[in-house]
Amino acid sequence: KEKVGSEGQKILTDRGIFYRNGKDRTIGISFHPRADYIGIHGSEKAVEIWRIRSQTEVQKSLARKRKRRKEKDAQRAADKDGATAEDANDKSEDASSAPVSEVFVPHTIVRTGGKVRSFDWIRTKSSGSLQLLAATTNNQLEAYSVVTANKKNKDEEEPDYSRNLAVDIPGHRTDIRSVALSSDDRMLASASNGSLKIWNVRTQTCLRTLECGYALCSAFLPGDKIVVVGNKDGQLEVSISPRQPFWIRSKRTMGRSGPFKFIPTASLW
């Protein structure tokens, strides 16, 4: 429905609806600052790139569709009334009143390494391609180069996009469920669903990453050479040394592993 201001000026006009390729809900939309492209992403591992046609392209597309309709009508009926209808429909359509699906057309789908949390266009000097940066839920930053429509070569089967670089942030890929400090406060153990990380508190660097189950609790044993992780399946996973990855998994206990505490004794076993 057309919105009219106080002075009778047109403010907004409904142009219709177009649907993404993804079936999930739309989370982010960004127009390219200089080119006629738009990026859309949901909660999946993809960024959809759509191209905005010019007025000339829209008119050509409408003319092609009108020509195809006339050819189909001519095949169905060749009587006088049908010819008159064709002459009446031979008028050029206005591009401003074209459906929005004629203006926004899919260009390509950029497949990312993780579920997209946000993305933005990289504003660089003209290089003949679109540059975008995507942040994913698995703690990665990925930069992609997308070939524009006028640079595509129909004779060569070149990919529509390529990943230029990726930055892997040294953190957990899922929510942290447990943390534990060593007795001298020099090391920190953080556990999540799938990984245990040992950190140097002073330098804030990751010393070691170990695979584990769905961690719920963790603790350093006396001596700070052994880390025990209790997971959701009721198992106790023991790392013999934070610097040398080696696991011992106990038998399943009753239910989930709860918080635990170790009391120093003369012997660990």
Side-chain angles (χ1 to χ4, degrees):
K1 184 178 179 181
E2 187 178 275
K3 307 297 181 181
V4 181
S6 58
E7 298 179 358
Q9 297 179 348
K10 298 178 181 178
I11 301 176
L12 296 175
T13 303
D14 187 5
R15 295 290 299 274
I17 300 173
F18 70 95
Y19 294 93
R20 295 172 45 230
N21 292 289
K23 302 302 181 183
D24 56 325
R25 64 188 180 93
T26 301
I27 295 178
I29 302 174
S30 177
F31 285 85
H32 195 278
R34 290 189 294 268
D36 293 331
Y37 288 88
I38 176 177
I40 308 172
H41 79 90
S43 58
E44 298 299 328
K45 301 179 180 180
V47 177
E48 297 183 21
I49 310 299
W50 290 67
R51 187 171 65 87
I52 305 174
R53 283 174 169 171
S54 63
Q55 186 174 3
T56 304
E57 289 179 309
V58 173
Q59 289 177 344
K60 289 182 179 180
S61 177
L62 294 175
R64 286 194 300 268
K65 292 185 177 181
R66 185 171 61 251
K67 183 179 179 181
R68 286 196 293 266
R69 286 197 302 266
K70 289 171 62 176
E71 291 175 351
K72 290 182 180 179
D73 292 340
Q75 291 177 357
R76 293 174 182 174
D79 54 8
K80 186 177 180 180
D81 294 336
T84 303
E86 289 178 11
D87 295 338
N89 293 330
D90 198 23
K91 299 179 181 179
S92 60
E93 299 183 34
D94 187 7
S96 61
S97 61
V100 70
S101 57
E102 292 290 341
V103 180
F104 294 91
V105 292
H107 180 63
T108 188
I109 300 177
V110 177
R111 303 292 180 182
T112 58
K115 293 183 177 180
V116 180
R117 179 149 309 192
S118 63
F119 88 98
D120 197 3
W121 301 103
I122 302 176
R123 294 165 177 82
T124 57
K125 294 182 179 179
S126 179
S127 60
S129 61
L130 308 175
Q131 308 287 332
L132 66 89
L133 180 68
T136 59
T137 56
N138 60 350
N139 277 8
Q140 280 191 341
L141 295 175
E142 300 176 343
Y144 292 89
S145 177
V146 182
V147 181
T148 56
N150 56 352
K151 294 292 183 180
K152 283 186 178 181
N153 192 343
K154 297 181 179 180
D155 298 333
E156 298 179 4
E157 295 182 358
E158 295 181 356
D160 294 334
Y161 67 92
S162 60
R163 191 173 76 168
N164 298 334
L165 57 91
V167 179
D168 188 4
I169 302 176
H172 286 274
R173 300 297 179 261
T174 55
D175 295 340
I176 298 174
R177 299 294 178 179
S178 174
V179 293
L181 275 171
S182 60
S183 60
D184 56 3
D185 295 339
R186 292 184 178 181
M187 290 187 296
L188 172 70
S190 58
S192 63
N193 180 13
S195 65
L196 167 71
K197 289 182 177 289
I198 309 298
W199 304 83
N200 185 308
V201 177
R202 183 178 62 84
T203 62
Q204 299 182 3
T205 56
C206 182
L207 302 176
R208 182 68 62 181
T209 300
L210 307 173
E211 293 183 0
C212 67
Y214 195 110
L216 296 179
C217 50
S218 60
F220 279 91
L221 264 66
D224 299 330
K225 293 184 179 181
I226 300 176
V227 179
V228 180
V229 176
N231 61 31
K232 187 177 181 180
D233 296 332
Q235 293 179 336
L236 294 179
E237 299 177 294
V238 183
S239 170
I240 297 301
S241 173
R243 300 184 184 276
Q244 298 178 358
F246 180 74
W247 283 106
I248 294 178
R249 288 177 171 81
S250 71
K251 294 182 180 179
R252 187 182 300 272
T253 60
M254 296 298 293
R256 297 184 176 185
S257 299
F260 46 71
K261 183 177 181 181
F262 294 97
I263 301 176
T265 59
S267 176
L268 292 178
W269 304 101

